Each structure stands twice: as C-alpha cells, then as structure tokens.
C-alpha cells in the first residue's frame, strides 16, 4: 500500500494505545489533502477562552529543515520527515484584538451576547492577572494542540515524535521570530516511520496515580 492510499482511520483509544515516538522516518511525502486534515484536527484543540494562542509553523523546505535540525542538536528526524510542526506560543495573544474570535463565537451560536460581553473584559483582565505566567499558559495551550496532532497523525497512518531537544533562540531565528515574544513549546516531525518501535511499558498505577491526595494510590 502506498503512503497516499486511503486508510481506515483508527479510533481515539486505538490511536493512543498504538502510538510510539518514532526517531527515523522515510522521506515519502504527505499528500496535501492529508496534511490539511492534520492541520484542521490540530487547530481543533481547545485553548483558554478560545484565544488560540499558538503559532504553528510547518517546516517543509529542505534548507529550512536542515537549519531547524542544526538548531535541534542535529537530530536527523527533522531532515528525514517530510514536515516538522513547530509549535510556538504567543503570551500576548489575549491582549490583542479579540473581535474575530468573539464574532465567530456569536455566528456559530456557541456564545451569546452576554458571553461575548463578559469575554471582552474577562480575557484582558485574566491575562493581566497572569503576569509572568502568561508564557506558561500559552505553552500549555500549544502543547494541547500538539497532542491533538500526534493522535490525529497516528490515526491516519502517520508517525510523530515530540521533540524537546533544541535551542529556543536558534529555532526562533529559523522560523523568522527572533525579535518576538513567542515561546517555542515543542517540535513534532511528522511522516511515515522507517522502522517500528515497541511499547516500553508503563509503571503500575500505584507508582504515580493517586486518589484525592498524593500517595493514596489508585487501585484499579
């Protein structure tokens, strides 16, 4: 079966159980319609007040991939994979003009006028109260979107790898954001696995799942 052949998508539980972090990729391209589907499912992720405070950069150009790999301690999965999603987080998104987001919420019927009027004041106030934690909250939203990506990719026959080994200022320079307040949350190469990886297993619940208080182990 060729990479672009239509596949039967996995359901969410199967995608979660099957997914592995892949370190080597084939150079086979991702069909444009499949890539678009991945983007749609990625940005369907929730975010605080729906401000969608991420910037997602799809690095596909060979020279850009090489530069991004160099900014990531020369990890070759970026060069091998046809595309790497760079998830950046905008800590100032909640202070920008929210009109497009608010109007869309009204048009879809998700929010009424009272909700929109509340958000007009609540979002800037919330952002101001966050203070130095604005960057942290924006990164959290970006990571939620990245998790949507890896599960969507797995369900559609693609493989991924969360990458946390990179130099932030160098990555920002590669994507043209060196003079911005954007924070780099994570890099995710996406493509077709060159080799499978086995499940390394997980600790029993008693190690790190508790009920009500830490140490009160959850027993299934």
């Amino acid at each position: 079966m060729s990479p672009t052949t239509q596949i039967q998508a996995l359901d969410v539980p199967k995608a979660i159980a099957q997914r592995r972090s892949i370190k080597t990729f084939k150079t086979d391209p991702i069909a444009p319609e499949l890539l678009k589907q991945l983007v749609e499912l990625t940005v369907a992720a929730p975010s605080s007040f729906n401000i969608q405070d991420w910037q997602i950069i799809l690095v596909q150009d060979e020279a850009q991939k090489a530069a991004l790999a160099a900014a990531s301690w020369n990890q070759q999965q970026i060069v091998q994979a046809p595309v790497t999603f760079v998830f950046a987080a905008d800590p100032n998104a909640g202070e920008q003009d929210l009109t497009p987001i608010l109007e869309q919420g009204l048009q879809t019927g998700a929010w009424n006028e009272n909700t929109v009027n509340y958000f007009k004041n609540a979002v800037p106030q919330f952002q101001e109260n966050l203070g130095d934690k604005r960057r942290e909250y924006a990164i959290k939203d970006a990571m939620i979107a990245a998790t949507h990506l890896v599960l969507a990719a797995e369900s559609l026959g693609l493989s991924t790898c969360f990458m946390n080994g990179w130099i932030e200022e160098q990555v920002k320079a590669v994507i043209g954001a060196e003079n911005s307040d954007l924070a780099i949350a994570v890099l995710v190469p996406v493509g077709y696995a060159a080799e499978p990886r086995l499940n390394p297993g997980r600790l029993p619940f008693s190690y790190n799942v508790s009920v009500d208080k830490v140490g009160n182990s959850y027993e299934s």
Side-chain angles (χ1 to χ4, degrees):
M1 182 174 67
S2 70
T4 57
T5 300
Q6 184 67 34
I7 65 167
Q8 183 66 42
L10 300 177
D11 58 31
V12 174
K14 287 181 180 177
I16 290 173
Q18 178 176 295
R19 189 198 164 272
R20 301 287 172 265
S21 292
I22 296 300
K23 301 294 187 179
T24 56
F25 291 86
K26 299 176 182 177
T27 57
D28 298 346
I30 300 173
E33 62 273 16
L34 183 56
L35 183 59
K36 181 181 178 182
Q37 188 176 5
L38 281 181
V39 173
E40 290 173 343
L41 293 170
T42 299
V43 301
S47 58
S48 180
F49 294 104
N50 196 37
I51 61 175
Q52 302 159 63
D53 45 347
W54 49 63
Q55 288 287 327
I56 303 170
I57 301 88
L58 278 58
V59 176
Q60 303 178 95
D61 175 78
E62 292 300 325
Q64 281 289 91
K65 286 163 58 177
L68 188 60
S72 306
W73 306 107
N74 294 313
Q75 295 184 74
Q76 289 303 294
Q77 57 263 48
I78 293 175
V79 175
Q80 296 165 358
V83 58
T84 291
F85 284 59
V86 177
F87 286 84
D90 184 358
N92 304 316
E95 301 164 26
Q96 298 170 5
D97 182 12
L98 301 177
T99 302
I101 293 170
L102 300 177
E103 289 185 347
Q104 190 171 60
L106 272 176
Q107 292 171 4
T108 63
W111 300 335
N112 58 30
E113 289 283 357
N114 289 336
T115 300
V116 167
N117 289 332
Y118 168 73
F119 279 1
K120 285 179 181 178
N121 296 317
V123 175
Q125 184 176 355
F126 178 74
Q127 289 292 107
E128 182 178 355
N129 290 339
L130 280 177
D132 293 340
K133 283 190 168 289
R134 287 179 299 174
R135 173 186 168 99
E136 175 187 328
Y137 271 61
I139 289 174
K140 288 176 182 177
D141 282 341
M143 290 301 303
I144 293 169
T147 301
H148 271 231
L149 167 65
V150 301
L151 294 180
E154 186 69 33
S155 76
L156 296 171
L158 293 159
S159 294
T160 56
C161 179
F162 282 115
M163 287 183 59
N164 200 29
W166 31 263
I167 303 166
E168 182 169 47
E169 291 307 315
Q170 292 184 20
V171 171
K172 288 176 66 172
V174 171
I175 63 172
E178 57 267 50
N179 297 317
S180 76
D181 290 333
L182 287 179
I184 303 303
V186 70
L187 277 56
V188 184
V190 184
Y192 296 95
E195 56 185 2
R197 301 189 81 191
L198 298 177
N199 183 355
R202 294 295 184 273
L203 294 170
F205 295 154
S206 59
Y207 277 78
N208 48 28
V209 182
S210 302
V211 178
D212 295 326
K213 293 184 178 181
V214 174
N216 184 25
S217 298
Y218 170 75
E219 301 294 343
S220 60

